[in-house]
Amino acid sequence: MTLHRTLLPWCLALLLTPSGYAASARYSSGTATLHSVEAGNPDIFSSSNSSLPDAPDAAAIDELRRSSQPMGFGRNTALRLHTGMFSQWAVGSTLSVGGLGFQVATSLRTKMNLRLGASMLNYSPTIVEEGIPIDGRVRMRSANVGVDVYPYRGSFHITPGVTLYNGNRMTAATSIVPGSSFTINDDLYVSDASDPVNGQFDVNLGRKIAPSLTVGWGNMLKRSKNWNMQTDLGIQYIGRPSFTLVMTGTVCEPNNPSNGCTSIQSDPDSLSDLQQEQASVNQAIQILRFYPILTTSLSYRFGHKTATTYWR
């Protein structure tokens, strides 16, 4: 239908209708039709006396007004369906930097969802760094809440949020083989045969509560289908992470292990090396105060699919 054919009946109704007439709109099966009727004599512009169809009943007009749905006229003007607070729900599973988890989403208003999630991960890496065997343990625990805001049509969204619980932590232990050499702060040491060196490492990844900001694509409450994919990436500010290093045992001179063996905690040189090593690692991990967020989720929305309605 061309534009002049769409607007012509409306213009005629406005020109021919005095103050006692009213213009209204009714839609049926996704199609809007214009009507005009005289308040005191509905038969003047009835379908039998004019090319214009009959006016809708008062109940249909009142229903449109109460629904507060914006009405547009013209080709492919979309009718927006408003979403009430907590009227839609979805649940999903997630895969993220913090491990496996789940999410729950509910509607707040049109183009705005509330989303809550949690994730966890445990693994135990084993590495050798500068002659020091490290048996690590990584424990990831987090819970978060955010508001998905959709500024445009489509699935792009911005999500300001809060990490309600940051339980991410890394610990490690080492036991250096007696008589083997290792390096601390670029200085070479040998683990004593009778009192080998042992150590504990600890990384605390920031404070428990942290603000976050992500952007993403997808909508857990998309009305056109029940199964949905969503991807989010961004950062959370967890504050300054900290690394601590404690080593005990006896170290010997690398060229003469039988002489000059001293406790690593009482030797000024080895203590200084431990402190400098700890300071270097702390400086290197400060970038993690802006901790990355990368999450992919598969979710299911409860309720029937809602087809998009258009004015034609």
Side-chain angles (χ1 to χ4, degrees), residues 20-309:
Y21 295 93
S24 62
R26 178 178 61 187
Y27 68 92
S28 176
S29 302
T31 303
T33 310
L34 295 174
H35 308 274
S36 180
V37 62
E38 183 186 15
N41 188 358
D43 293 329
I44 291 181
F45 282 95
S46 65
S47 58
S48 60
N49 297 323
S50 171
S51 60
L52 296 175
D54 291 334
D57 53 57
I61 298 176
D62 291 340
E63 179 62 26
L64 281 175
R65 289 172 178 171
R66 285 195 302 269
S67 65
S68 300
Q69 293 174 346
M71 293 173 16
F73 296 94
R75 189 170 186 176
N76 294 333
T77 300
L79 169 65
R80 294 181 182 176
L81 302 177
H82 283 245
T83 303
M85 183 175 290
F86 309 134
S87 63
Q88 299 285 328
W89 290 86
V91 296
S93 59
T94 61
L95 176 63
S96 68
V97 173
L100 298 176
F102 70 92
Q103 288 184 337
V104 179
T106 185
S107 57
L108 292 179
R109 54 172 299 173
T110 304
K111 295 188 175 183
M112 188 177 293
N113 302 336
L114 176 67
R115 185 154 49 106
L116 299 93
S119 62
M120 63 179 295
L121 175 66
N122 290 324
Y123 72 98
S124 301
T126 300
I127 61 174
V128 177
E129 182 70 22
E130 295 184 332
I132 302 175
I134 300 173
D135 295 321
R137 182 186 177 191
V138 179
R139 181 180 181 272
M140 311 290 277
R141 301 284 189 276
S142 65
N144 54 77
V145 61
V147 177
D148 296 328
V149 180
Y150 293 82
Y152 314 110
R153 291 185 181 180
S155 64
F156 174 78
H157 57 270
I158 303 171
T159 307
V162 176
T163 298
L164 301 175
Y165 174 71
N166 172 22
N168 299 336
R169 195 177 188 89
M170 303 178 191
T171 59
T174 183
S175 181
I176 301 176
V177 177
S180 63
S181 61
F182 63 97
T183 302
I184 300 178
N185 193 39
D186 296 330
D187 288 332
L188 188 64
Y189 294 92
V190 173
S191 179
D192 184 45
S194 60
D195 183 23
V197 175
N198 297 291
Q200 295 288 331
F201 308 83
D202 184 87
V203 179
N204 182 15
L205 290 176
R207 54 196 180 196
K208 299 296 183 183
I209 299 177
S212 64
L213 180 64
T214 63
V215 297
W217 293 262
N219 188 345
M220 293 179 67
L221 300 176
K222 188 174 182 180
R223 301 181 189 93
S224 61
K225 56 183 180 179
N226 294 113
W227 289 99
N228 294 287
M229 293 285 295
Q230 184 162 317
T231 301
D232 297 272
L233 60 119
I235 58 171
Q236 55 183 328
Y237 183 75
I238 62 174
R240 297 175 64 88
S242 62
F243 169 78
T244 57
L245 168 62
V246 177
M247 301 189 80
T248 60
T250 301
V251 292
C252 305
E253 295 181 4
N255 297 326
N256 190 6
S258 60
N259 295 324
C261 295
T262 58
S263 170
I264 196 171
Q265 291 293 326
S266 60
D267 179 54
D269 292 335
S270 60
L271 274 178
S272 176
D273 284 337
L274 285 174
Q275 293 171 356
Q276 292 185 46
E277 186 76 24
Q278 179 173 288
S280 298
V281 174
N282 269 306
Q283 184 177 2
I285 65 174
Q286 290 312 301
I287 191 174
L288 293 179
R289 67 185 184 274
F290 298 100
Y291 196 78
I293 298 174
L294 177 59
T295 304
T296 299
S297 68
L298 174 64
S299 61
Y300 180 82
R301 183 185 68 86
F302 294 96
H304 299 291
K305 291 187 292 184
T306 303
T308 304
T309 304

